[in-house]
């Protein structure tokens, strides 16, 4: 069964990125997330599936919303959860990532959810440690759960994925949300466009299967989904763009620009939004925005990911029922 | 490992009769249609549940509320590794069973573990006044102290037996069949 | 005695057969089935860690690595602590080869500026008197062209070649992979080819302006080689070389984000590897060096962006050369030329060390030692043929060496 979840040959014990993940695996996660969302709608939002499982949220790069989303997902699945952030971790005292991780591992977590500013940090830890690793964002590389929740939100609103036209706009070069999003959307057969000032468009990105635009208007035309990325104010100091004002005027999502999209187009943003830098007030709060849905869906998608990763982890450990016992349970009535 | 058919426990005519009897018994055990909620256990109990509800409608002129419940996340082997980790749909009418008589429906009652999980799952939705269990076939060999209230048919089975309810809604012949597992002899032996 | 053993003379450019008589003359065991008999090699660029970082590797360790790799003379970069910008450190570096009694010699390259800060010219006259035959930026490229002019003029005064790294620091800043689809896919900050091109073109212009003898290292891209041809066609006196890792591994090896693949500059694209191989075959590149840089295992066992760059390849040199020869279809003789004739011309060498016999397999008594010296090396191909060397006696046959230096 877990064979079908293998990512490009690797095991689903870890979720390190969406690069190379087949569309069947993505659809499986989204389908499972539907049921997880139903659980969140119940009066009693808890299932015992991950009872007795320890999950460590290791957020070296700070993030309140992703960390909270993972924490809630873990709690809904009855897992035991512990969170570390820069101020509470010994990394600030000069301990290497490996030593910190080894110390964490000594506490025997089953799953490590990690966000780190260094590209490849989760991959390094997946090799160095014994527990399962879920990437909550590594440098400018990938943020797979974000891309999955974005795909879930699109499918929920549009009923399908393949063939939809989507534009991702903003600092593509430094966006792990964009990268994972591109991998996932292209796998699912979507028509993907990226747009941004040339200083923010990485060379060779067409090779990922996207169309590239250095102005927003032509990219938005006719799209079903408009996804705006956050412009990090810290990066404005890196001479990537003159000012927030100039950015909003020429690359921000205003009503005029949105009017070029399909009349039923939805507007998305990974959050937190910078009003009047990448997105207009009224649009962010308007009827076409599904930004808040993204937040809810994030918990459901993370529940699905954690459940599947956990089951793959258990399968790899070989603790599961033996084959003959398994045969018994396949016809187990009640 | 092969399955060899030993005998047919219920052919489609017998099946229809049994379902009607179970429907009548359900009505007897409840306080009325408003009070009764039928919940089919995924996967085997879902279609059966709808059939019993249809049969009740034939008798009473009104259909009871029905739902379905997937118990994957509640199984007692979730922390060892589920043989089938993919979860199915759970749908409880009005998300509420508080104060109602809930009738759990499944096709085959065997070890009792599935029902135990279903009870836990159900109780997370609220506090029913009563939970009843209706099964098409009780094949014995319980591993937990679980009993059915409404039983379509009883059969004594051994560990090498498999009982399959092959309903037409799932593409089957609308029969309940008793199979025996036949182990392949080692190579070189007759 | 193996029938297929080759006697390689890079000075004459000939390949011959090994005979037992020759082996005896060279002080090599006549019974051993050598794959090659060659002059000992000259590694033009290695990065020592002593003084200053002895915990990574001592000079004695480095000499031993060279001995295991069949290298008789190792050129040392000056970025030690303190920087080799005066005769005291030069002497320390040179004498470092003597402690292990390996017979290996070190030739330290002098820093071209004090402290390699590129503000004040280093005392090149003093450095030359101390035995230095080349000055260098130590891999830290000069960005101030005004200063570059001055040091090139001064080096020309003492007829010292100047080894410089062709790179534009601003374009390369923070980069971990060559710019393009691979860097974009793997989420690695990119370095455009323009950086190496600008470095080469600038060095070429300055060489013409000052009549200095410029040596560029390392060239790692096809575009860099193209720029090299451009400056040469303008008449600039520019020689160039590359380092071994760039002929074996490429950017796609980085997708595991394993610190063992972190080198500086980063590994290039497969098309660049092919272009470099062609440049070795046709003589566009004058030399190949190991670029040996040893660091502690813990400095590699970390997230990629902060992993310490470098591969400690010296002890495995012949295994690597064999792999390059097989995979890139470069005749071994061409590779040997790049590690004998090329460096000899640059440094003005007029004498040579013992001959070396290269044989298949590693003798059991040094397996453990070589494992220990492989901590900075990615597993270079499970099927890689491992070769080891035996040293002939010193002061041996000049008959093998041609006159063409």
């Amino acid at each position: 069964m877990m064979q079908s979840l293998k990512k490009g040959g690797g095991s689903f014990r870890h979720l390190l990125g969406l690069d190379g993940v087949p569309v069947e695996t993505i659809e499986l996660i989204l389908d499972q997330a539907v049921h997880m969302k139903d659980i969140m709608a119940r009066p009693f939002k808890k299932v015992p599936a991950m009872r007795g499982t320890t999950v460590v949220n290791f957020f070296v790069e700070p993030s309140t919303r992703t960390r909270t989303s993972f924490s809630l997902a873990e709690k809904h699945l009855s897992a035991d959860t512990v969170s570390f952030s820069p101020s509470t971790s010994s990394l600030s005292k000069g301990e290497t990532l490996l030593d910190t991780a080894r110390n964490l591992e000594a506490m025997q977590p089953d799953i490590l959810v990690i966000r780190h500013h260094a590209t490849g940090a989760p991959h390094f830890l997946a090799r160095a440690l014994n527990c399962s690793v879920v990437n909550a964002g590594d440098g400018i590389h990938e943020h797979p759960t974000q891309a999955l929740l974005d795909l879930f939100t699109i499918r929920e609103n549009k009923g399908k994925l393949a063939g939809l036209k989507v534009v991702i706009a903003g600092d593509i070069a430094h966006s792990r949300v964009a990268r994972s999003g591109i991998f996932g959307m292209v796998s699912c057969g979507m028509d993907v466009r990226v747009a941004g000032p040339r200083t923010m468009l990485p060379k060779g990105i067409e090779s990922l299967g996207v169309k590239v635009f250095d102005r927003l208007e032509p990219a938005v035309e006719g799209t079903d989904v408009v996804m705006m990325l956050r412009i990090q104010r810290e990066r404005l100091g890196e001479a990537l763009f003159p000012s927030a004002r100039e950015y909003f005027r020429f690359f921000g999502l205003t009503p005029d620009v949105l009017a070029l999209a399909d009349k039923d187009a939805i507007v998305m943003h990974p959050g937190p939004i910078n009003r009047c830098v990448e997105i207009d007030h009224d649009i962010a709060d308007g009827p076409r925005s599904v930004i808040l849905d993204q937040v809810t869906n994030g918990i459901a998608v993370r529940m699905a990911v954690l459940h599947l990763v956990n089951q793959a982890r258990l399968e790899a450990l070989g603790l599961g029922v033996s084959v003959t016992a398994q045969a018994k349970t396949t016809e187990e009535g009640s | 490992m092969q399955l060899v058919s030993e005998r047919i426990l219920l052919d489609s005519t017998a099946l229809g009769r049994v379902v009607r009897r179970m429907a009548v018994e359900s009505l007897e055990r409840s306080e009325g249609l408003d009070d009764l909620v039928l919940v089919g256990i995924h996967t085997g109990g879902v279609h059966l549940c709808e059939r019993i509800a249809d049969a009740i409608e034939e008798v009473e002129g009104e259909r009871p509320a029905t739902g379905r419940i997937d118990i994957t996340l509640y199984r007692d082997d979730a922390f060892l590794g589920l043989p089938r980790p993919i979860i199915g749909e759970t749908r409880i009418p009005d998300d509420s069973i508080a104060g109602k008589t809930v009738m759990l429906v499944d096709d085959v009652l065997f070890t009792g573990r599935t029902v135990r999980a279903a009870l836990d799952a159900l109780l997370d939705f609220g506090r029913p006044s009563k939970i009843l269990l209706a099964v098409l076939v009780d094949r014995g060999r319980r591993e937990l102290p679980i009993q059915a209230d409404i039983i379509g048919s009883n059969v004594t089975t051994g560990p090498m037996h498999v009982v399959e309810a092959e309903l037409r809604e799932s593409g089957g012949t609308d029969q309940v069949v008793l199979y025996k597992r036949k182990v392949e002899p080692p190579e070189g032996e007759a | 005695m193996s029938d297929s053993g080759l006697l390689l003379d890079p000075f004459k450019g000939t390949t011959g057969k090994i005979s037992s008589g020759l082996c005896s003359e060279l002080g090599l065991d006549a019974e051993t089935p050598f794959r090659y008999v060659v002059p000992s090699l000259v590694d033009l660029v290695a990065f020592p860690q002593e003084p200053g970082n002895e915990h990574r590797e001592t000079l004695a360790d480095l000499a031993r690595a060279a001995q295991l790799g069949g290298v008789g003379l190792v050129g040392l970069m000056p970025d030690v602590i303190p920087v080799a910008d005066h005769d005291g450190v030069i002497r320390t570096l040179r004498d470092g080869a003597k402690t292990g009694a390996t017979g290996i010699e070190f030739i330290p390259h002098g820093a071209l500026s004090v402290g390699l800060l590129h503000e004040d010219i280093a005392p090149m006259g003093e450095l030359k008197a101390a035995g230095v035959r080349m000055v260098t930026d130590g891999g830290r490229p000069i960005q101030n062209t005004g200063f570059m002019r001055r040091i090139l003029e001064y080096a020309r005064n003492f007829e010292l070649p100047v080894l410089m790294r062709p790179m534009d620091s601003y374009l390369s800043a923070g980069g971990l992979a060559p710019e393009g689809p691979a860097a974009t896919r793997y989420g690695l900050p990119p370095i455009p080819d323009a950086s190496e091109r600008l470095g080469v073109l600038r060095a070429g212009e300055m060489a013409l302006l000052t009549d200095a003898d410029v040596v560029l290292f390392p060239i790692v891209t096809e575009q860099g080689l193209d720029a090299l041809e451009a400056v040469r066609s303008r008449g600039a006196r520019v020689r160039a070389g590359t380092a071994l890792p760039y002929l074996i591994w490429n950017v796609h090896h980085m997708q595991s984000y394993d610190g063992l693949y972190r080198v500086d500059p980063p590994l290039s694209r497969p098309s660049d590897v092919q272009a470099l191989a062609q440049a070795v075959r046709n003589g566009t590149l004058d030399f190949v060096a190991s670029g040996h840089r040893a660091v502690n295992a813990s400095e590699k066992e970390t997230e990629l962006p902060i992993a310490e760059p470098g591969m400690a390849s010296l002890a495995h040199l012949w295994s690597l050369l064999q792999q390059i020869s097989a995979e890139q279809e470069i005749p071994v003789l061409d590779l040997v030329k790049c590690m004998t004739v090329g460096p000899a011309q640059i440094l003005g060498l007029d004498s040579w060390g013992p001959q070396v016999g290269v044989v298949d397999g590693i003798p059991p008594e040094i397996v453990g030692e070589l494992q220990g010296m492989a901590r900075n090396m990615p597993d270079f191909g499970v099927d890689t043929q491992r070769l080891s060397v035996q040293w002939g006696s010193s002061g041996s046959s000049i008959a093998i060496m041609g006159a063409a230096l």
Side-chain angles (χ1 to χ4, degrees):
Chain A
M1 162 55 63
M2 284 297 154
Q3 304 295 112
S4 66
L5 299 181
K6 287 195 184 202
K7 160 205 177 330
S11 151
F12 204 69
R13 263 188 67 209
H14 307 295
L15 179 63
L16 301 177
L18 286 189
D19 187 3
V21 176
V23 57
E24 298 80 22
T25 304
I26 293 176
E27 284 181 349
L28 173 65
I29 298 170
L30 299 186
D31 290 340
Q32 294 292 283
V34 171
H35 299 307
M36 297 300 185
K37 197 170 176 183
D38 288 340
I39 293 171
M40 286 171 67
R42 298 182 194 172
F44 188 66
K45 302 182 210 329
K46 221 182 207 343
V47 291
M50 284 179 72
R51 218 159 50 100
T53 306
T54 306
V55 182
V56 171
N57 296 321
F58 189 29
F59 279 64
V60 181
E61 207 185 69
S63 152
T64 313
R65 82 183 42 210
T66 307
R67 190 159 54 99
T68 310
S69 181
F70 268 103
S71 286
L72 283 172
E74 289 147 19
K75 289 184 205 296
H76 289 332
L77 291 167
S78 300
D80 295 321
T81 126
V82 183
S83 294
F84 288 92
S85 62
S87 52
T88 60
S89 92
S90 38
L91 277 180
S92 51
K93 301 196 193 98
E95 195 182 43
T96 66
L97 177 63
L98 184 59
D99 281 335
T100 303
R102 287 213 176 113
N103 280 309
L104 287 177
E105 190 173 44
M107 301 179 211
Q108 302 191 328
D110 300 302
I111 300 176
L112 185 71
V113 176
I114 174 160
R115 168 172 286 200
H116 199 283
H117 47 262
T119 292
H123 305 65
F124 165 66
L125 290 177
R127 264 198 310 277
L129 305 178
N130 291 314
C131 55
S132 282
V133 175
V134 173
N135 183 1
D138 67 319
I140 60 173
H141 181 223
E142 287 232 43
H143 191 356
T145 57
Q146 178 71 41
L148 287 167
L149 77 88
D150 288 337
L151 287 167
F152 183 91
T153 306
I154 294 170
R155 198 175 78 162
E156 192 181 48
N157 278 276
K158 294 288 178 181
K160 65 169 187 174
L161 289 173
L164 291 179
K165 294 188 183 57
V166 57
V167 58
I168 305 176
D171 186 356
I172 308 291
H174 298 98
S175 170
R176 52 187 173 223
V177 172
R179 223 169 243 92
S180 288
I182 290 169
F183 292 137
M185 290 172 187
V186 169
S187 275
C188 291
M190 296 173 78
D191 174 347
V192 183
R193 303 143 182 221
V194 297
R198 293 173 75 89
T199 48
M200 294 173 170
L201 293 173
K203 274 238 159 56
I205 191 148
E206 313 78 22
S207 68
L208 300 185
V210 306
K211 293 196 204 64
V212 187
F213 296 82
D214 63 5
R215 295 302 301 264
L216 189 56
E217 290 84 350
V220 171
E221 221 172 308
T223 48
D224 304 292
V225 180
V226 180
M227 185 184 300
M228 303 305 292
L229 299 174
R230 175 185 156 70
I231 292 301
Q232 295 167 273
R233 287 185 182 276
E234 313 87 76
R235 293 219 188 269
L236 286 178
E238 276 173 31
L240 288 173
F241 207 80
S243 65
R245 206 181 101 162
E246 170 107 340
Y247 188 88
F248 183 57
R249 188 164 158 210
F250 293 98
F251 291 93
L253 187 63
T254 58
D256 289 340
V257 174
L258 187 55
L260 297 168
D262 182 87
K263 60 175 175 43
D264 296 316
I266 54 175
V267 174
M268 300 176 63
H269 191 299
I273 54 183
N274 283 319
R275 289 166 184 275
C276 296
V277 177
E278 65 259 6
I279 189 168
D280 182 272
H281 277 296
D282 295 332
I283 296 176
D285 302 327
R288 307 233 247 158
S289 159
V290 297
I291 296 173
L292 292 174
D293 292 348
Q294 285 173 273
V295 178
T296 309
N297 294 337
I299 301 174
V301 164
R302 287 167 178 135
M303 284 173 73
V305 166
L306 287 165
H307 168 64
L308 293 170
V309 165
N310 192 43
Q311 289 301 317
R313 177 187 72 88
L314 292 168
E315 190 191 33
L317 284 174
L319 291 177
V321 282
S322 66
V323 175
T324 33
Q326 186 174 320
K328 183 168 97 172
T329 53
T330 51
E331 58 85 24
E332 179 185 310
S334 310
Chain B
M1 182 86 65
Q2 259 191 308
L3 290 181
V4 176
S5 169
E6 207 173 85
R7 75 172 188 276
I8 296 176
L9 297 172
L10 295 172
D11 65 20
S12 53
T13 318
L15 183 58
R17 247 184 262 131
V18 165
V19 169
R20 270 193 298 278
R21 174 171 52 79
M22 289 172 73
V24 169
E25 279 187 42
S26 316
L27 285 167
E28 284 170 1
R29 304 289 292 263
S30 70
E31 308 290 322
L33 276 181
D34 290 335
D35 169 63
L36 182 62
V37 181
L38 303 184
V39 177
I41 300 178
H42 194 77
T43 32
V46 172
H47 296 304
L48 182 63
C49 174
E50 297 302 320
R51 282 221 205 172
I52 294 176
D54 291 338
I56 291 176
E57 190 175 14
E58 274 176 37
V59 172
E60 289 288 300
E62 208 186 306
R63 206 170 191 275
T66 60
R68 60 185 66 179
I69 198 159
D70 177 281
I71 54 127
T72 311
L73 297 172
Y74 290 83
R75 288 173 55 119
D76 58 13
D77 53 359
F79 63 96
L80 292 176
L82 296 166
R84 262 188 317 236
I86 310 298
I87 58 187
E89 189 189 6
T90 293
R91 209 187 331 132
I92 302 293
D94 298 325
D95 265 340
S96 173
I97 50 170
K100 307 250 172 153
T101 297
V102 174
M103 195 169 85
L104 277 174
V105 180
D106 206 357
D107 53 357
V108 181
L109 175 58
F110 181 23
T111 60
R113 293 184 189 274
T114 298
V115 174
R116 196 278 321 154
L119 288 172
D120 275 349
L122 207 53
L123 292 171
D124 277 352
F125 278 89
R127 193 171 190 275
S129 69
K130 190 161 51 166
I131 300 180
L132 300 169
L133 175 64
V135 297
L136 193 55
V137 179
D138 181 345
R139 64 167 285 194
R141 307 198 74 81
R142 216 76 78 233
E143 289 174 5
L144 296 175
I146 301 271
Q147 81 199 14
D149 301 287
I150 297 170
I151 302 173
S153 150
N154 271 298
V155 62
T156 315
T157 62
M160 294 307 277
H161 282 123
V162 174
V163 176
E164 292 283 354
E166 292 161 0
L167 302 184
R168 65 165 184 276
E169 293 94 330
S170 314
T173 49
D174 232 30
Q175 294 177 328
V176 180
V177 186
L178 177 69
Y179 292 95
K180 190 153 191 174
R181 256 191 274 277
K182 188 175 157 194
V183 184
E184 300 290 299
E187 277 209 19
E189 292 186 25
Chain C
M1 189 94 295
S2 166
D3 291 336
S4 56
L6 299 173
L7 174 68
L8 301 176
D9 184 344
F11 302 101
K12 284 210 200 82
T14 59
T15 305
K17 291 196 79 80
I18 302 170
S19 70
S20 41
L22 178 70
C23 285
S24 310
E25 202 184 313
L26 297 174
L28 290 167
D29 174 34
E31 295 307 308
T32 306
F34 293 114
R35 188 174 261 275
Y36 309 110
V37 169
V38 287
S40 60
L41 302 175
V42 174
D43 188 6
L44 199 60
V45 181
F47 290 85
Q49 299 301 319
E50 182 184 348
N53 281 309
E54 292 85 344
H55 56 277
R56 288 176 176 168
E57 182 189 60
T58 62
L59 290 170
D61 294 333
L62 184 58
R64 176 68 181 140
Q67 188 183 37
L68 290 168
V71 171
L73 181 64
V74 186
L76 301 183
M77 292 298 253
D79 61 331
V80 285
I81 307 168
V83 166
D85 58 12
H86 59 279
D87 56 8
V89 185
I90 298 293
R91 264 200 299 279
T92 306
L93 287 171
R94 202 179 47 236
D95 294 347
K98 302 202 171 85
T99 44
T102 51
I104 306 304
E105 280 182 48
F106 287 159
I107 180 159
H109 304 314
L112 51 73
S113 66
V114 174
L116 287 173
L117 296 171
H118 305 329
E119 285 167 7
D120 299 308
I121 307 177
M124 297 188 194
E126 178 188 309
L127 291 169
K128 185 167 180 180
V132 160
R133 291 181 181 233
M134 185 158 74
V135 290
T136 173
D137 61 11
R140 304 175 193 175
I142 302 171
Q143 294 307 307
N144 181 332
T145 38
F147 185 74
M148 187 186 284
R149 178 185 188 161
R150 298 286 166 246
I151 57 102
L152 287 175
E153 283 171 341
Y154 198 69
R156 174 71 182 83
N157 224 114
F158 291 94
E159 284 160 0
L160 284 170
V162 182
L163 181 73
M164 297 198 290
R165 179 173 172 177
M167 173 175 117
D168 183 289
S169 302
Y170 299 103
L171 288 176
S172 286
L176 292 175
E179 187 165 67
T184 297
R185 163 164 248 127
Y186 303 142
L188 295 169
I191 296 175
D193 285 346
S195 175
E196 188 170 274
R197 281 190 69 88
L198 282 172
V200 173
L201 294 170
R202 186 171 55 185
E205 281 306 312
M206 300 307 281
L208 281 170
L209 182 62
T210 59
D211 193 37
D213 180 359
V214 169
V215 182
L216 295 174
F217 175 87
I219 305 269
V220 305
T221 64
E222 188 172 6
Q223 285 297 311
L225 289 167
D226 179 78
L228 184 64
E229 307 213 13
V231 306
R232 283 171 174 170
S233 66
R234 262 179 56 71
R237 192 162 52 127
V238 176
R239 284 179 284 197
T242 191
L244 290 182
Y246 305 97
L247 288 165
I248 302 175
W249 294 284
N250 63 64
V251 64
H252 299 295
H253 287 95
M254 308 265 282
Q255 62 184 304
S256 59
Y257 303 101
D258 190 333
L260 290 176
Y261 294 102
R262 175 101 201 270
V263 285
D264 188 20
L267 297 170
S268 293
R269 313 166 190 89
S271 52
D272 296 312
V273 176
Q274 280 172 21
L276 289 170
Q278 178 63 0
V280 170
R281 276 192 293 267
N282 66 22
T284 302
L285 287 174
D286 302 278
F287 70 95
V288 168
S290 71
H292 174 104
R293 185 169 194 265
V295 300
N296 288 324
S298 62
E299 293 175 291
K300 286 287 193 184
E301 270 230 310
T302 184
E303 59 272 35
L304 185 75
I306 65 171
E308 199 55 49
M311 286 187 190
S313 48
L314 202 46
H316 316 280
L317 200 77
W318 268 100
S319 305
L320 294 169
L321 289 177
Q322 181 67 21
Q323 184 176 349
I324 293 172
S325 173
E327 286 176 5
Q328 304 305 330
E329 292 172 5
I330 305 174
V332 175
L333 184 63
D334 289 344
L335 287 167
V336 171
K337 275 190 201 162
C338 283
M339 292 194 80
T340 49
V341 179
Q345 286 172 335
I346 292 169
L347 295 177
L349 301 174
D350 52 16
S351 65
W352 217 259
Q355 305 304 306
V356 155
V358 181
V359 63
D360 282 337
I362 313 281
E365 59 269 18
I366 57 168
V367 166
E369 192 181 1
L370 272 178
Q371 297 274 68
M373 287 185 162
R375 66 187 184 282
N376 285 176
M377 297 296 291
D379 178 22
F380 41 109
V382 178
D383 306 323
T384 301
Q385 206 165 12
R386 305 289 161 131
L387 306 179
S388 55
V389 310
Q390 284 178 26
W391 285 80
S393 46
S394 47
S396 57
S397 183
I398 314 282
I400 267 205
M401 279 174 41
L405 272 189

